[in-house]
C-alpha cells in the first residue's frame, strides 16, 4: 500500500486501522500503534492531542474513505459493469485476503462500531460517517448501472450490511462460505433492480 512513503501521522492512522481490524478498539494500544507505524512514541501526543479516541476516529474515517475509493477500482476491473459483478468484486477482496492470510482480520469500521457504539462517544459518529462515505459512491455506481436513484441507496446499504455480516460469519466459521453464499444469493436481486433499457 506504500504507507512507508507517508509521514508518521499518516502511518499511525493506517496502523491503527490495521490493528483495530485485527484486535478491536479496546485491545489496540497507543504504544502498539506507534511501534507498528515505526513512529516515535512521543509523536502520539503531538499528532493526536485528543488521545486514543481521536486516533481511532481518524482510523475509522480512513477506512471509510478507503472503502469508498475502492468502488471505482472495482468498477474499472469489470468487463461489463453490473450490480452483481460489483458486489462480487467487493466480496472477492475478502475471500482473496482470507485465502492468502487466514481469518484474523475484519473491517475496522465494524470493529469500532461493535466496541464503541454503546459508549456514546464520537467514535460511533465517526463509524456512521465512515459507512456513509462508503455507501455514497456505491449508490452512485449503482445509479450509473441503471438502478433507479430512489432505490440505489437502499441497495447500497443492503450490499454493505450483507458484506459486513458475511465477514463476521466467515471469521467465526473460519470459512469463506458465508461470503460466497452472499454473492450467489444477493447477485440476482441486485441485477433485477436495474431498470429495463428503453
Amino acid at each position: 500500500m506504500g504507507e512507508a512513503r507517508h509521514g508518521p501521522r499518516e502511518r499511525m492512522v493506517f496502523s491503527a486501522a490495521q490493528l483495530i481490524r485485527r484486535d478491536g478498539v479496546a485491545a489496540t494500544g497507543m504504544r502498539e500503534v506507534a511501534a507498528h507505524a515505526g513512529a516515535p512514541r512521543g509523536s502520539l501526543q503531538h499528532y493526536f492531542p485528543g488521545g486514543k479516541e481521536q486516533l481511532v476516529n481518524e482510523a475509522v474515517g480512513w477506512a471509510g474513505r478507503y472503502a469508498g475509493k475502492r468502488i471505482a477500482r472495482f468498477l474499472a476491473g469489470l468487463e461489463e459493469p453490473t450490480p452483481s459483478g460489483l458486489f462480487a468484486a467487493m466480496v472477492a477482496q475478502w475471500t482473496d485476503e482470507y485465502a492468502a492470510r487466514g481469518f484474523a482480520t475484519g473491517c475496522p469500521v465494524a470493529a469500532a462500531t461493535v466496541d464503541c457504539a454503546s459508549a456514546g462517544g464520537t467514535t460511533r459518529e465517526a463509524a456512521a460517517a465512515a459507512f456513509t462515505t462508503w455507501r455514497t459512491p456505491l449508490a452512485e455506481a449503482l445509479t450509473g448501472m441503471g438502478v433507479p436513484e430512489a432505490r440505489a441507496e437502499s441497495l447500497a446499504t443492503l450490499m454493505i450490511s450483507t458484506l459486513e455480516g458475511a465477514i463476521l460469519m466467515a471469521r467465526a466459521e473460519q470459512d469463506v462460505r458465508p461470503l460466497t453464499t452472499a454473492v450467489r444469493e444477493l447477485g440476482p436481486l441486485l441485477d433485477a433492480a436495474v431498470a429495463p433499457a428503453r
Side-chain angles (χ1 to χ4, degrees):
M1 293 187 131
E3 292 303 318
R5 291 177 294 164
H6 296 297
R9 187 180 203 292
E10 292 82 9
R11 290 196 317 268
M12 285 187 281
V13 169
F14 174 79
S15 289
Q18 300 314 302
L19 294 171
I20 289 166
R21 72 191 292 254
R22 185 187 73 198
D23 302 326
V25 172
T28 297
M30 296 285 277
R31 288 183 190 151
E32 187 183 11
V33 169
H36 187 273
R41 267 199 291 186
S43 61
L44 285 165
Q45 279 291 22
H46 173 71
Y47 291 117
F48 306 100
K52 182 175 178 178
E53 186 172 14
Q54 179 186 356
L55 177 58
V56 168
N57 292 353
E58 291 193 30
V60 166
W62 174 88
R65 290 187 301 277
Y66 176 79
K69 289 176 187 170
R70 294 284 298 171
I71 301 302
R73 290 187 199 147
F74 293 141
L75 278 176
L78 297 176
E79 219 171 281
E80 184 184 330
T82 62
S84 65
L86 176 56
F87 185 63
M90 291 168 63
V91 171
Q93 175 184 357
W94 290 95
T95 56
D96 292 350
E97 178 178 327
Y98 290 153
R101 294 190 286 277
F103 294 86
T105 58
C107 172
V109 181
T113 302
V114 169
D115 283 0
C116 302
S118 64
T122 58
T123 301
R124 184 206 56 77
E125 295 166 8
F131 279 123
T132 299
T133 301
W134 184 7
R135 183 175 54 239
T136 300
L138 181 53
E140 290 168 358
L142 292 171
T143 302
M145 287 183 273
V147 173
E149 199 171 317
R151 187 129 187 253
E153 188 164 333
S154 62
L155 286 179
T157 298
L158 178 63
M159 291 167 76
I160 292 170
S161 58
T162 300
L163 175 58
E164 290 287 15
I167 290 167
L168 286 173
M169 291 177 70
R171 290 184 75 193
E173 297 173 9
Q174 300 284 288
D175 192 324
V176 297
R177 190 174 59 243
L179 290 158
T180 57
T181 298
V183 169
R184 185 177 65 247
E185 296 297 333
L186 192 59
L189 182 143
L190 295 172
D191 288 342
V194 175
R198 297 179 187 220

